Amino acid sequence: MSSISNVNNTGINSIIELFERWLKSMKCVRYEGVSGECKTVSLLRKALSGFEVVTSTDGYTASIVKGEALKFDFSGNPNIAKFLYELRTFGLNDQKVVLCRPCDARAIVELCKRNQLEREKLVLIGVYSPESCKRRDYCCVRFSDFDVFLFEVEAESNGKIVLVFMKKYVCEADGKDGKMDVRKVLSRFEELEDARVLEPEEFLKLLKSCIEELERVERLLDSYDGSNSDENLKITSYFERCMKCMGCVYECPICICEDVCMVKGIGRGEVPPPPQFLIFRMLHVADSCVNCGQCDDACCANIPISRIFQKVQRKYWRDTGFVPGINYELSPRMR
Amino acid sequence: MNSIRFVRTLCPYCGCGCGITVCEINGRYLISPDKSNPVNAGKLCIKGRYLNQLLEALKDRPKSPMIRRGEKFVEVSWRKAAEVLARELRRRRKDSSFGFVSSAKCTNEENYLMQKLCRMLGSNNVDHCARLCHAPTVSALSRSLGSGAMTNPIDDIAKADCIFVVGSNTFEQHPIVATRILTAKDRGAKLIVADPRRNATTRNADLHLQLYPGTNVALLNAIAKVVVERGLYDEEFLSRNVSGFEDFLSFVSALNIDDLSKTCGVKREAIERVAELVSQRAAFVYCMGLTQFSSGTDGVTALANLALITGNVGREGCGIFPLRGQNNVQGACDMGALPEFFPGYARVNEENAKRFGELWKAEISGEKGLTLPEMFNSKEIEAMYIMGENPAVSEANCNKVRKKLSSLDFLAVQDIFFTETAEFADLFVPVASWAEKEGTFTNTERRVQRIRKFVNTNFPSDLEFISEVSRFLGFNFPSTPAEVFSEIEKVVRQYRGLGEKIDSGEAFWGGKILYSNGFSTPNGKARLFKVEYRAPAEKPDECYPFILTTGRVAFHFHTGTMSRKCNSLAEEVNSTFVEISERDSERLGVKRGEVVRVVTRRGEIKAKVVVGGIKEGVIFLPFHFSENPANALTSDALDPLSGIPELKVCAARVEVVESE
Ligand code: SF4
Ligand code: SF4
Ligand code: SF4
Ligand code: SF4
């Protein structure tokens, strides 16, 4: 279904290439919307009212909504990928429109590859705005497998606007065969008062600002690479802080083993547990950590776990060309 | 149709008051941390992490109240139970021969009604487990500063330049607070920890002061002396906000640092270094390792003195942080579930009794009631009504307490589980858990937060049951938390107007930072008190050569009633152990894993040896395990000012058990 395949060399060029390829199968709507409120939020509120949506927003007010006004606060509450996984284990396997951030989506992709979720049953709406992505600076590659992607950018004199990228193929699909009528979701974005489908030239111009933003992030990411010595990442001294709260295991969307190793095995009854406690998990997710940052958020010891894992992982990316959450195959065979 | 529902509520364990998001999916529950609760922002400690197992355990509990008939219990309805309890209380109303034990695990509303019921029956014999943890905080801080509460929000710890932890294993017992300590440390702040043990907290310390248990006052006075001698005190703050500095000066100048250093076992150089560090922007964090002594009030006072002379009260990024063990110790104290205070810390005296009598339209006694340990010592007490506490395991010298419990004419125990204390009951009333009721809890930083019902049940809540009892006594208390809270807002000065702020998550009583505009003492100034070091009640001797101290582990909570029912927690640690220093273990000839007998003047238990970095001459026992209760050994010597027992130090001996 998707044209995205193994990326042979990562780095900004391949990401742009990937992005462009992805965009070829897309159309784009520009949204200016009301002033005052976060543009992405006002757009979503208008477009999604009435749908059953699983949001990664404040769980209390509106996480699964039917016809109510949505409250979006982007706190990532609950952890959406893990939540979808849990829903499945509760036997809830019906179709859903899922509103999520790039990091959430990467985790969803990895879970699909591991046969834990069914991609066909999800319409993924991606959000990228200053409010939604608090850890943008660490977020590695954020275009994965969205059906709709909302990109909030600075546009010339107009201040902030939201670009809505939609997959053409989904727009063309119909609602038969028991499949969710995603067309309905997508057409909403086009029909909004303040929205306008873009002509190719304007589209390309705006695209440039997106790419600039990506380049900035890519540069930042390079500074976490193992080759750059980052004084702040003294791995062992970080690991010795661990208070064994188990947050990193239970919040990680990739840690889904039935018999959770860290609980059964290392350092039973010890605080802090031996460093192997964390190293064990690091090895288990070395190929699949999607750098979503859920473990960092959950860590009582404030260990920048995802950054440490990234440091190890980026070497693996470079060697194999495999980027978890982006590439569709499981890890490549070692040559 | 699938039903999915989200409820935001709180973790029921400790005083941090972390938020959890519960997702109910077709009648099953998924519990995850609440990222939008400012207390924990998406984090939980291991106990909160396994709350779903606690929910499972809740399924397995007595289904209806039970009355003792001879050796057996027979089931009765809740209505009948309320009637029996009301009758037993009414019978003893004349001579107040009953004691009420309220609970720091219950909501503000429930505590309020519990103490009100007791007081409307004409007695002030109501107390709760704060007596065993933070009674000295109330007695010391209310006279030094005005209120017995944490001065600043937890987040301020992250902004401090120095964090001085006294007698708290924060990294195991309050991980959510420890997070803030680490944030501060990542900014370059220094962490000082005073603790006889080496543990997860001291591992993170820049300076570990390994003192002898019970010598906090000596250590803190010595530090204060250095601060004064080197002129490190905050002169401007002292002259504007503090009284008693002149006296304090002459008091410390008479102290001898070398003597004090010898007493507490901390080197002079370390003491000097601490004095330098705490005179920066410093947060003073403490817990049971400062309070559970016969000199508990003095200990807290000495710490308050230090915070005051260094000017570390009343502004951002510093302050005094008593860490609360139970989720609602703060609230239960605020609600006046204390024999010496009416709600809102109004001292029990004739004048206040009259005022509350008018409010409640009843005859209220102005005479101070009995504290928990006093109830267990008193011959007059014939009946007890215990809500949500387990004194048979938690009290010092618990064998004595058990004797008292079994000799009572009437004992009513109201709890979620059938506890060790319930074994002695004449009436056992099972009630709704935190998951099955509504109400408010006040966390350690004075933040009032709501709990919300997410499990349906036919168990009444504590509140509903008390209200039912009140009806049989002709008092007709309201039976919904909302009604009770609005009464609290009227009666408890500190809670006025908080109701509408609760949903914003920022309902701090007294404001975020206390004392930024003067102190809540009569003259608006804080006060320095001279506190001399007093040795603990028991000293090691030839027969009992060790100092025994007690505490907790990260995986369990208090008497284990809740946490030991969670498999994943029980799998981590599930039996008692005694921690002994390497030198001592060699001297005794015992190895790790061997079983020894620990003996004190009050009792003995068996425990497995763990060899650790504890101070030589000191041994440590966790108190979670009722089959080998550490409190069978602990001393019930009391602090004269607060009535807290000396749980943290007594003399003990270790006997090698000959293999059978
Ligand atoms: S290890 Fe951390 S960053 Fe990586 S997938 Fe798991 S939660 Fe996300
Ligand atoms: S650390 Fe490994 S075994 Fe444990 S849950 Fe994660 S992936 Fe599974
Ligand atoms: S989340 Fe942090 S503190 Fe908790 S177990 Fe993982 S590494 Fe340790
Ligand atoms: S720190 Fe306390 S309130 Fe927070 S999860 Fe742990 S036990 Fe619960």
Side-chain angles (χ1 to χ4, degrees), chain A residues 306-317:
Chain A
S306 71
R307 283 171 59 194
I308 293 172
F309 285 16
Q310 276 294 292
K311 221 174 140 164
V312 176
Q313 201 184 33
R314 283 178 76 80
K315 170 143 176 46
Y316 176 70
W317 295 5

Side-chain angles (χ1 to χ4, degrees), chain A residues 132-177:
Chain A
S132 68
C133 294
K134 297 214 176 67
R135 48 194 300 286
R136 293 214 274 188
D137 292 353
Y138 316 129
C139 207
C140 54
V141 186
R142 61 178 73 78
F143 296 98
S144 44
D145 184 51
F146 291 110
D147 298 297
V148 183
F149 193 79
L150 279 64
F151 200 137
E152 195 170 315
V153 282
E154 211 67 60
E156 316 96 46
S157 52
N158 308 31
K160 286 218 170 86
I161 59 161
V162 183
L163 298 180
V164 186
F165 302 108
M166 287 179 278
K167 277 200 176 146
K168 279 190 192 139
Y169 80 92
V170 211
C171 303
E172 283 148 16
D174 63 15
K176 285 181 217 135
D177 316 327

Side-chain angles (χ1 to χ4, degrees), chain A residues 35 192 308:
Chain A
S35 56
L192 289 175
I308 293 172

Side-chain angles (χ1 to χ4, degrees), chain A residues 248 251-254 281 285 288-295 306 309:
Chain A
C248 53
E251 292 301 314
C252 175
I254 306 301
R281 202 179 82 82
V285 297
S288 53
C289 164
V290 293
N291 189 24
C292 65
Q294 293 287 349
C295 49
S306 71
F309 285 16

Side-chain angles (χ1 to χ4, degrees), chain B residues 27-131:
Chain B
R28 287 162 66 202
Y29 304 96
L30 206 65
I31 299 184
S32 49
D34 183 353
K35 299 202 183 191
S36 47
N37 186 311
V39 175
N40 56 317
K43 301 174 200 293
L44 286 178
C45 81
I46 191 163
K47 295 180 286 283
R49 192 49 76 178
Y50 290 120
L51 278 173
N52 55 336
Q53 296 181 7
L54 183 61
L55 279 184
E56 281 302 306
L58 281 173
K59 292 188 180 141
D60 190 23
R61 55 180 162 153
K63 297 280 179 291
S64 73
M66 300 185 291
I67 285 190
R68 188 182 292 278
R69 293 260 184 281
E71 285 302 289
K72 282 214 296 279
F73 275 116
V74 289
E75 295 192 352
V76 293
S77 68
W78 275 283
R79 203 185 141 74
K80 179 77 189 161
E83 192 186 337
V84 170
L85 178 56
R87 191 183 62 216
E88 295 290 336
L89 291 173
R90 193 182 309 112
R91 266 182 39 187
R92 297 177 172 84
R93 196 171 171 175
K94 253 202 300 329
D95 51 0
S96 297
S97 59
F98 55 76
F100 275 53
V101 182
S102 199
S103 172
K105 276 236 115 26
C106 290
T107 63
N108 288 326
E109 293 78 5
E110 289 160 350
N111 276 289
Y112 179 80
L113 286 195
M114 187 75 171
Q115 61 83 31
K116 184 173 168 185
L117 184 68
C118 179
R119 292 190 156 122
M120 290 194 53
L121 288 167
S123 162
N124 286 314
N125 290 345
V126 56
D127 203 0
H128 70 284
C129 66
R131 189 65 52 205

